Amino acid sequence: MTVVGAPIDRVDGKAKTTGAARFAAEYALPGLAHAALVYANIARGRITALDTTAARAVPGVLAVLTHQNSPTVKPAPKVSMLNLSTLVSGTQVNYLQTDEVHFDGQPIAVVVAETSASAKEAASLIRTEYAAMESTVDFAAAEPDAKVQPNNPLMRGEEKKGDAEKALSEADVTVDLRFTTPPHAHNALEPHSTTAVWEGDHLTVYDATQSIDWVRSHLAVRFAVPTGNVRVLAPFVGGGFGGKGSVWAGTLLAALAARATGRPVRLMLTREGVYRTVGGRTASTQRVALGADRDGKLRALIHASVARTGRVGGMPEQITSQSRHLYDAEHILVRQSLVELDLLPNTFMRAPGESIGTFAVEAAIDELAAELGMDPIALRMRNEPAVNPMDGKKFAHRMLREAYTLGAEKFGWHERTPEPGSMRDGRWLVGMGVASAYHPANRFAANVTVRLSADGTVLVRCGFQEMGMGGATAQAQIAADALGVPFEAVRVEYGDSELPMSPGAGGSMQTASIANSLLEACEKVKHSVQALAKRTGGEGYEDILRRANVPHIEAAVGSDTRFGRIAGQARFMTNFLLEQRRWVKAAAGVQFCEVRVDRDTGEIRVSRWLGVFDIGTVINHKMASSQLRGGIVMGLGMALSEETLIDPRTGRIMNPSLAEYHVPVHADIPPIDVSFLDDPDPTMPLGLLGAGELGITGVAAAVANAIHHATGNRVRELPITLDKVL
Ligand code: MOS
C-alpha cells in the first residue's frame, strides 16, 4: 500500500475553500421561488383558526400553504426492518395534512414568495388560534414513569450477567452515582436546506442530507410517485452529525411547495428553524453504580439510563452501549428506559449513546479510583477484559492497553500529583483528567462500479454523500492502491441518487461499507484485465487495453434493481447477525486533558488535549485526525456549554440560536494532539474501523475528571458551567 495512509488533501478542498462548491441552497434555478415556515407554539392540540389574509397580501407572495389548502401528502411509512429506508422519517407527523399539533415548533404553514425576505415577512403575519390538549413536555417530571426500552435488532433494552445489585451491596468499595445530561441541538455550519423542482411527476431535490438514497425512497412514498421518478443530489453537505440523517420537515415542505406552485422552490431553514424542526439529542439521567474489591477488581457494574422518545417519533438512544464492553466484572446490569414526551422528536447526534454514556461511566470509574486511592489508569487496566464481559465473545480488535500506555507517556501523566487541588499555576487550579473513548464498528451493503479506461484513468461511482469528512478522497486512495494506479488517476463520482446505491453517512460506517464493495470491484477489474492479457498480451493496463482494443473495463458490485436491493439488504442483515454472534467490533481510544480553573471565578479553560485512538488502519492521517479533532471539539461543547433549554411548562425551545446556545469557538479550544495506533482490524475491509464518531466519546468525562482533579468538585450534571464548579 502506498497511497492508503498518506495525509493527502481532500479532493474537494479547493472547491470548498474557493466557493466553487455548490450546496443545496445555492442552485439558482430559473424561476426559483423561496419558502419560509410558520411554527406552532403549543405542544399539543388543534388549530382552530388560521388567518393568512395579511400574509397573502405581502407583495411577491405566491402561495400560503396550510392544512386548509395543501395538496395531499401520503403518511410516513411504518418502520420495517425489511425496508431500512423506512428508518429515515424524522417524525410520523404528516405536515399540513390535518389541524393537529404534535409538538411546539411543528411547521403549520409554508409561505412561498418571489424572495426569501417576502416569504419570511409574510410568515410572520399569519395569525393562529389553538385548542390546546394536555401534553407531557417536562423530562424531569416524567422520569419516574420511564419504561424499559423494548429490544430492537441492534440492541437489547436490558442485559444482565449475575446479580449486580447483590454484588454491589456486598462490595468492599462502592460508588452509586446519578448523572444528568441536557438536550442538545444540531448546529451544522450549513443549516438544513432543500431546492426542489418538479417536472410533471418527476421530482429533483438538491438536499442537505446524509442519506440521498433513503431520502429518495421516502419522497417517492410521500408524494406517491415511483422511486425512479425522484432524484436526490447532495454533492456537498456542510456538516450533518446525524441531524441530516433523517427526513425532516424542510425537505418535505420544499417539495410540497414546489408541487403546489409549479415553481422550483428553495427552503433554507433559519437557525431557529433548525432548532424547531430538526430533532436533537435527548436529555438523559444515568445511574452508574460500581462495586470493587480493595485491590480495584470490579465486582459489580450497573448502568441504567433514562432518555426520551415521543408519540410521533424519536430515537431510543443507546446510552449504555459502551458499558457492555468496557470493563470486566462478574456482575453487570445495563438497562435503558424511556419516557414519551410531546416534543420535537429526538434523533441521532454524533455517537448517539456513547457520547453521553461514556460521560457517566468514565466519570464514575474516576470516582471509584479516588475512593480506592488508585490511579484511574491503573484501575482501568486492572479491569481490562480479555473477552467481551457480558457474554465472553471475542473482541475483533482491542488495543485499549496500548492506547493508555502511549497516551500516558505522550501526555506526561506521571507528572500528575493525585491529590485534588495540588497542582497550581498562579491563580489557576490545574487538573489532569483521562477517560476511555469507545464506538462500535459496523458496515452496510453498498453498490459500487469501477471503470478502468484505456488511458489509465479510473472512475469510481457510488451514491454516497460527502458532509465534510473526506469520503471521496478516502475511496480514491483505496481504489488507487487496490488497482496499483496513482491517486491522481482516480476520480470518484458521488452525491447523486442516480449512482449505484450507497448507505447513508452514519454510524461511522461509510468508509468501511464502501471500501468493502470497492475492493471487490477492483479485484473484478484486475481479473478482467488479466483475462484480456492472456488473449492479446501486453504490459500494464493501458498497453493491455489498447492491444485488446477495449476502451474500458467496468465491474459492478451490488445491483440497484428492486431485487438487487432486497438481496443486498438481506446479505447485509445476515452478515451483520453472523458477525455479531462471533465478534464484538469497535473503535476505541483514550482522551487526556488538562484544565485550568480560576480559583475565584470558577472560569474553566481547557488548556491541553491529547487523544490516542485505535481506528484500525488509518486511510488518511490528515482527514482522520481532523475527524477525531472535530469530535473532541463537539465533546468540549457538550462538556462545558451546550444545552437546549426547553420550557418545562410549554415544551418550547427557549434558546433557538447560536447567540444563546454556545458551541465552542476557536478561543475555547486548546491545541489537540491526535495519534493513532494504526493497527489493522482483521475483520474489517482493509482493517479499517470507523473514525467519525469515536472522537466525541469520553471527552466530557475527561473534562469532568480533570475539573475534579483541579478543584475537588465532582460535577455530574452537564454542561459543567462555572456556577456548578464554585
Ligand atoms: Mo451519525 S449520529 O451516525 O450521523
Side-chain angles (χ1 to χ4, degrees):
M1 293 197 296
T2 56
V3 185
V4 164
I8 291 173
D9 287 347
R10 286 171 168 75
V11 290
D12 52 351
K14 191 171 173 195
K16 282 183 176 170
T17 47
T18 57
R22 275 203 285 172
F23 291 80
E26 296 182 318
Y27 289 85
L29 304 177
L32 185 70
H34 299 260
L37 302 180
V38 180
Y39 317 106
N41 57 13
I42 61 161
R44 190 161 176 240
R46 287 182 183 280
I47 300 165
T48 53
L50 215 163
D51 182 359
T52 62
T53 320
R56 281 181 287 123
V58 171
V61 168
L62 299 163
V64 180
L65 301 171
T66 70
H67 69 280
Q68 294 155 341
N69 64 352
S70 167
T72 303
V73 178
K74 298 270 190 216
K78 289 257 175 307
V79 170
S80 154
M81 293 319 277
L82 297 173
N83 176 2
L84 294 176
S85 75
T86 55
L87 295 170
V88 85
S89 316
T91 85
Q92 296 292 318
V93 175
N94 201 357
Y95 304 103
L96 310 193
Q97 303 296 300
T98 74
D99 59 0
E100 293 165 55
V101 175
H102 300 276
F103 58 87
D104 186 298
Q106 176 187 315
I108 52 168
V110 182
V111 178
V112 190
E114 296 291 350
T115 66
S116 167
S118 307
K120 283 177 186 153
E121 187 197 347
S124 75
L125 298 174
I126 290 174
R127 295 289 165 258
T128 318
E129 285 169 34
Y130 302 96
M133 290 159 67
E134 203 166 315
S135 60
T136 312
V137 295
D138 184 349
F139 179 73
E143 191 198 337
D145 303 326
K147 295 193 180 52
V148 178
Q149 176 192 322
N151 296 337
N152 66 41
L154 301 181
M155 186 164 289
R156 283 152 65 192
E158 181 176 282
E159 261 189 275
K160 53 177 114 177
K161 186 177 83 169
D163 186 344
E165 294 287 2
K166 181 161 172 282
L168 182 73
S169 69
E170 292 167 358
D172 293 343
V173 182
T174 61
V175 293
D176 195 341
L177 307 166
R178 179 182 160 88
F179 297 87
T180 67
T181 67
H184 295 130
H186 274 293
N187 279 296
L189 195 55
E190 176 203 28
H192 294 60
S193 313
T194 308
T195 303
V197 54
W198 285 91
E199 284 154 297
D201 60 355
H202 286 254
L203 169 64
T204 302
V205 295
Y206 301 87
D207 194 36
T209 175
Q210 291 172 234
S211 182
I212 52 179
D213 185 65
W214 287 2
V215 171
R216 176 164 88 148
S217 305
H218 187 81
L219 291 177
V221 170
R222 303 301 294 271
F223 292 99
V225 295
T227 312
N229 287 16
V230 180
R231 183 175 183 191
V232 181
L233 295 119
F236 298 98
V237 179
F241 312 106
K244 291 172 182 166
S246 307
V247 175
W248 297 99
T251 301
L252 283 164
L253 294 174
L256 179 66
R259 187 168 237 194
T261 58
R263 296 268 296 263
V265 168
R266 173 189 297 173
L267 175 50
M268 178 165 162
L269 295 188
T270 58
R271 193 56 68 177
E272 178 184 1
V274 178
Y275 277 75
R276 301 229 182 277
T277 71
V278 175
R281 198 193 293 281
T282 177
S284 82
T285 62
Q286 301 177 56
R287 175 189 175 213
V288 181
L290 304 169
D293 295 345
R294 294 220 176 275
D295 69 352
K297 177 74 200 104
L298 265 185
R299 293 287 162 200
L301 184 159
I302 298 172
H303 190 178
S305 65
V306 179
R308 61 106 162 164
T309 55
R311 274 188 263 263
V312 291
M315 189 247 174
E317 189 150 341
Q318 67 276 25
I319 297 170
T320 68
S321 152
Q322 70 294 314
S323 306
R324 305 169 195 223
H325 312 294
L326 275 178
Y327 297 107
D328 201 9
E330 267 172 64
H331 303 274
I332 301 178
L333 168 65
V334 293
R335 179 188 295 136
Q336 297 177 169
S337 301
L338 296 171
V339 295
E340 270 196 356
L341 299 184
D342 299 303
L343 298 173
L344 166 65
N346 56 304
T347 191
F348 323 103
M349 183 180 289
R350 199 176 207 152
E354 294 86 9
S355 299
I356 53 180
T358 50
F359 163 59
V361 77
E362 289 299 289
I365 284 283
D366 201 76
E367 297 209 28
L368 180 67
E371 288 294 320
L372 287 161
M374 258 179 106
D375 178 86
I377 297 179
L379 176 62
R380 288 183 174 88
M381 294 306 99
R382 175 88 180 78
N383 294 289
E384 173 63 12
V387 292
N388 192 47
M390 197 62 89
D391 49 22
K393 270 189 280 191
K394 281 187 196 147
F395 292 124
H397 208 237
R398 179 87 169 192
M399 298 191 76
L400 268 172
R401 277 187 199 282
E402 290 83 348
Y404 270 97
T405 306
L406 179 62
E409 189 196 312
K410 289 183 67 155
F411 190 71
W413 184 254
H414 64 277
E415 287 161 26
R416 176 181 184 264
T417 55
E419 191 60 32
S422 61
M423 296 178 76
R424 299 196 175 205
D425 179 7
R427 57 185 296 111
W428 296 100
L429 306 172
V430 179
M432 290 159 84
V434 68
S436 297
Y438 187 91
H439 193 269
N442 286 307
R443 59 187 165 78
F444 262 123
N447 296 350
V448 173
T449 66
V450 174
R451 174 185 291 192
L452 171 71
S453 294
D455 64 0
T457 61
V458 174
L459 175 64
V460 175
R461 301 174 84 236
C462 180
F464 65 88
Q465 50 290 298
E466 166 56 58
M467 54 174 172
M469 62 288 196
T473 313
Q475 300 304 334
Q477 288 177 265
I478 292 168
D481 274 359
L483 292 170
V485 301
F487 175 75
E488 295 71 27
V490 183
R491 192 159 64 82
V492 180
E493 283 185 2
Y494 61 95
D496 184 344
S497 63
E498 302 288 288
L499 293 167
M501 179 221 58
S502 161
S508 303
M509 294 194 280
Q510 196 190 56
T511 309
S513 304
I514 299 164
N516 193 51
S517 301
L518 176 57
L519 291 169
E520 196 184 325
C522 289
E523 279 310 303
K524 286 186 179 182
V525 166
K526 285 198 284 190
H527 277 127
S528 303
V529 175
Q530 279 160 9
L532 272 189
K534 266 195 197 137
R535 285 213 317 265
T536 56
E539 286 273 339
Y541 296 138
E542 291 164 62
D543 189 29
I544 296 167
L545 265 63
R546 239 180 256 129
R547 282 184 194 218
N549 200 23
V550 170
H552 60 252
I553 285 176
E554 186 166 290
V557 168
S559 152
D560 285 307
T561 61
R562 198 176 141 72
F563 178 75
R565 283 164 169 262
I566 294 169
Q569 192 170 295
R571 225 177 17 248
F572 153 71
M573 281 307 249
T574 315
N575 187 47
F576 175 81
L577 293 172
L578 280 176
E579 288 208 327
Q580 242 198 359
R581 213 171 292 161
R582 199 157 160 218
W583 305 106
V584 169
K585 297 197 202 192
V590 53
Q591 310 271 17
F592 284 90
C593 83
E594 180 191 88
V595 300
R596 274 142 206 266
V597 181
D598 186 293
R599 66 174 187 222
D600 297 320
T601 67
E603 180 187 353
I604 302 160
R605 308 298 305 175
V606 179
S607 45
R608 213 147 60 86
W609 200 278
L610 183 139
V612 177
F613 301 102
D614 168 24
I615 57 166
T617 304
V618 180
I619 302 301
N620 181 317
H621 270 86
K622 188 179 202 167
M623 297 191 316
S625 302
S626 296
Q627 274 272 34
L628 271 299
R629 226 171 251 130
I632 291 162
V633 172
M634 284 183 84
L636 288 171
M638 187 173 109
L640 295 172
S641 63
E642 291 190 46
E643 177 171 22
T644 307
L645 299 165
I646 299 174
D647 188 328
R649 299 161 304 178
T650 63
R652 188 164 179 80
I653 293 173
M654 299 187 288
N655 58 340
S657 85
L658 287 170
E660 294 170 289
Y661 180 111
H662 184 77
V663 298
V665 296
H666 279 82
D668 296 317
I669 302 301
I672 297 176
D673 182 340
V674 168
S675 43
F676 299 107
L677 298 177
D678 206 355
D679 185 75
D681 178 297
T683 67
M684 293 291 277
L686 273 189
L688 75 92
L689 298 158
E693 294 170 279
L694 181 64
I696 189 173
T697 68
V699 171
V703 172
N705 298 343
I707 288 173
H708 169 257
H709 181 231
T711 65
N713 283 347
R714 290 287 183 187
V715 182
R716 303 184 190 101
E717 203 178 302
L718 295 184
I720 306 173
T721 45
L722 51 78
D723 53 303
K724 295 175 189 164
V725 170
L726 277 177

